[in-house]
Amino acid sequence: MFQLIPQYFFMHSFGQRRKNGPFTKSRKHDHAIPTTPQEWRLSLRFCGALLALNSTADHYPCDSFPMPVLYSIRFSPWTLKAKWALAHYDAQHTNKEFLSGVTDAILRWKTKNFCGRLTVPILIGEGGVVLTESFEIAQWAGLNKGPNCQGGDLFDGVDADVMKQWNQRSDEILNYSRSLALQGMMNNGDATKQTLPKLLQNSLGVMIAKRFLRKLTKKYENEPGTNSKENARECLVVLREALAKSGGEYITGSFSYADIVMVIALLAVYPFNGVMPAFPEFQEAFTVPGFSEEFADLVEWGKKIVAKHHHAGSTTGAKD
């Protein structure tokens, strides 16, 4: 399966139909192949990066993992939701980085999702368990607590529908913030480069990444809240009202998954230290202009939650 990825790279990154393009088309397979020394160097560099990435990937079948595996993108807010919950419960797992457009084929094979939409985080556990939502992963973590779990149940005493509503509000805020980030990364090569693995932090990596940023923009253009700053503002106002009603410390009276998802949503307002990876250019692209002043009270609330409940790097229980 892995051997197919370099071919996929040429087909989709360079195999455009151009009369005077630098690549020659193969009639039999209708894809681009390198023909000059420079093109071969690019090919070898890219394949080397893929091999390095693949060297950290596991090779166990879905139903026989020695430990559950979380495939994620380190700067994705949805990944941060899942990792916080996993760390809270000390749920034992292994972290694997997902690189969109490069490791898709590997993950599709492991999840048996050959045609459907592919998003991360994804947790693959024993017995063929495949969880594709941060919410589901958090619930799974609560059922698989580790030996050093010291926190309470994130879902205890809260109606499931209420928790899902808070998760939906968080998603709508983050959908709008993501649309800003994708556009900002398209216009800022440094912001794009910061999010790439070190082997791809070069002009070639940025070129490849921008191609997939365009695909991601199209992929998420119809998500709830993606094009509505006002909708994101309304969700934050609801958070402010809920905190005022509950006493100001926690949304539902005690620390819960609702607090986690809304603090992560506040990354659209303020980049909390230790929560989002320290990528200054990316953080700037991700935050909504003007929100940090308008919702300064929520930022202060978020800082208190992070200081009290966020495990450094949210890696407790994780084996990288």
Side-chain angles (χ1 to χ4, degrees), residues 42 54 107 130 141 189 270 272 307:
L42 290 175
N54 190 58
L107 193 51
V130 177
Y270 181 84
F272 299 108

Side-chain angles (χ1 to χ4, degrees), residues 153-173:
D153 192 335
L154 295 174
F155 296 88
D156 186 39
V158 182
D159 184 79
D161 290 336
V162 172
M163 197 69 79
K164 289 178 181 178
Q165 288 174 0
W166 283 112
N167 192 57
Q168 180 64 29
R169 294 185 184 106
S170 171
D171 284 350
E172 291 185 17
I173 296 168

Side-chain angles (χ1 to χ4, degrees), residues 17 28 37 41 43 46 164 167 206 208 231 285 307:
R17 295 180 180 275
K28 181 177 180 181
R41 282 196 296 271
S43 171
F46 187 80
K164 289 178 181 178
N167 192 57
V206 171
I208 297 168
N231 189 73

Side-chain angles (χ1 to χ4, degrees), residues 32 65 108 119 126 130 139 158 189 197 201-202 216 261 277 297 305 313:
F65 282 113
R108 284 190 181 279
T119 61
E126 298 180 42
V130 177
Q139 291 178 313
V158 182
Q201 289 183 1
N202 49 52
L216 288 175
V261 299
D297 56 325
I305 294 293

Side-chain angles (χ1 to χ4, degrees), residues 209-224:
K210 286 190 174 183
R211 181 176 181 84
F212 287 101
L213 286 174
R214 287 190 288 271
K215 291 185 178 181
L216 288 175
T217 300
K218 185 173 181 62
K219 177 179 180 179
Y220 294 118
E221 62 184 358
N222 295 318
E223 289 291 302

Side-chain angles (χ1 to χ4, degrees), residues 15 65 76 78 84 113 115 139 165 189 218 247-248 279 291 299:
F65 282 113
S76 161
W78 288 269
W84 192 336
N113 175 15
C115 300
Q139 291 178 313
Q165 288 174 0
K218 185 173 181 62
F279 304 147
F291 271 17
V299 170

